Amino acid sequence: MPGNDTAGLPSEAFFTPGTSSFTEFLAAHRPGLLPTARSLPDGVRMPPDRFPHGTTVLALTYRDGVLIAGDRRATMGNLIAQRDLEKVHPADDHTAVAFAGTVGLAVDMVRLYQVELTHFEKVEGTPMTLAGKATRLAAMIRQNLAQAMQGLAVVPLLAGYDLSAPGGGRGRIFGFDAAGGLYEKQDFYAEGSGSPYARGALKKLYRPGLTRREAALAALQALYDAADDDSATGGPDLNRRIFPVVCVITADGFERLPEPETGELSREMVEARTTRPDGPHALL
């Protein structure tokens, strides 16, 4: 951030005592840099076909941690705005955030959230707890409420590996609403326009103790089902070699599944769908 001193020295803001929140620092000294500062005039509501919107993301816990995934499509009304959008991003070593909603605001919010967690750790000398990360993200979403009411909503999905959880480390999932409401989800959750169909698929496919491969296949099956019923969600594009983003978070940290692995699992799933179009049956 540029200083006010003509000699290139940092501005006085950098030496003013405050909290460990970078977002609050910006709000106090450079509010115009916040994504939530760019609101529409009062009474104006943005039509849904004017800006790209991201659609379906999901997360589920498995034996070694938590998996988070998203399709790649962004839409503007009935148009496909982008086929290879990245909706899943690492927030820090043991946390990831995926988003549905207005793409431009969501990308800015994710970047600010990444800086927020890094800033806190540098100031406090210790990483924020997973519950604290969820609470901080909820506060950032709440700041966007005015724009959400005007049709520019951002609804993230947070997944992380809690190293300090009672009984040992484990994966945890947090969902939000457009007003910043925070809800911890058990086992699995999905967000976005295709989320009802993705959650329905996960209800029949999820079981405790899934391996990484089984969890990845369950996520791909759920995204496929979402794309089957929701035109805004994109399934695996075998011709263009565009596959969903699938990431895992374990005690070892964040890892995005390599493209060859995701592609192989996607082809395996699509091939199986030729004989069973509705997907695998639930185990009884």
Side-chain angles (χ1 to χ4, degrees):
M1 181 183 300
N4 296 326
D5 194 291
T6 56
L9 296 176
S11 70
E12 187 176 328
F14 286 95
F15 303 99
T16 303
T19 72
S20 55
S21 169
F22 185 73
T23 304
E24 293 178 8
F25 176 81
L26 284 183
H29 300 287
R30 293 292 190 276
L33 295 179
L34 290 170
T36 53
R38 300 185 293 272
S39 58
L40 301 174
D42 290 342
V44 175
R45 181 175 176 84
M46 186 56 60
D49 59 348
R50 296 297 299 273
F51 293 107
H53 278 68
T55 47
T56 309
V57 293
L58 59 84
L60 65 151
T61 58
Y62 73 107
R63 184 178 62 191
D64 299 323
V66 62
L67 179 146
I68 185 167
D71 81 309
R72 307 292 295 277
R73 179 174 291 179
T75 59
M76 289 195 301
N78 65 321
L79 301 178
I80 298 176
Q82 189 172 344
R83 301 180 188 274
D84 59 351
L85 179 65
E86 299 276 341
K87 302 177 188 176
V88 182
H89 301 269
D92 62 14
D93 290 343
H94 290 91
T95 317
V97 61
F99 66 82
T102 308
V103 173
L105 289 176
V107 171
D108 280 351
M109 185 179 291
V110 168
R111 290 172 178 167
L112 180 59
Y113 184 60
Q114 292 168 333
V115 176
E116 178 83 2
L117 298 188
T118 301
H119 181 77
F120 178 92
E121 185 171 350
K122 288 182 177 179
V123 171
E124 299 293 336
T126 184
M128 194 181 299
T129 65
L130 185 54
K133 295 173 189 177
T135 302
R136 191 61 59 91
L137 182 56
M140 294 174 65
I141 298 168
R142 196 171 299 115
Q143 291 175 344
N144 192 56
L145 180 59
Q147 294 190 44
M149 298 299 290
Q150 294 176 313
L152 301 177
V154 177
V155 185
L157 180 62
L158 184 71
Y161 190 85
D162 192 347
L163 294 167
S164 60
R170 62 183 178 90
R172 297 173 69 185
I173 301 167
F174 297 89
F176 307 85
D177 61 34
L182 170 62
Y183 315 95
E184 182 165 5
K185 304 297 181 178
Q186 299 299 317
D187 301 331
F188 60 85
Y189 192 63
E191 192 58 78
S193 62
S195 61
Y197 314 108
R199 287 199 295 267
L202 288 173
K203 280 184 180 180
K204 69 177 182 178
L205 296 175
Y206 180 85
R207 67 180 188 276
L210 292 170
T211 66
R212 175 172 127 154
R213 174 183 169 82
E214 290 169 339
L217 277 172
L220 292 172
Q221 295 278 7
L223 290 173
Y224 190 101
D225 282 340
D228 198 34
D229 288 296
D230 173 43
S231 61
T233 303
D237 192 333
L238 302 185
N239 293 329
R240 294 185 176 90
R241 297 180 177 83
I242 300 174
F243 308 107
V245 174
V246 181
C247 306
V248 295
I249 313 167
T250 66
D252 296 328
F254 173 91
E255 178 190 358
R256 174 170 172 163
L257 269 62
E259 194 82 1
E261 182 178 355
T262 308
E264 178 186 348
L265 292 173
S266 297
R267 292 185 183 90
E268 177 184 328
M269 178 195 63
V270 172
E271 178 63 26
R273 290 273 180 152
T274 61
T275 57
R276 183 174 285 177
D278 293 330
H281 294 166
L283 295 176
L284 299 178

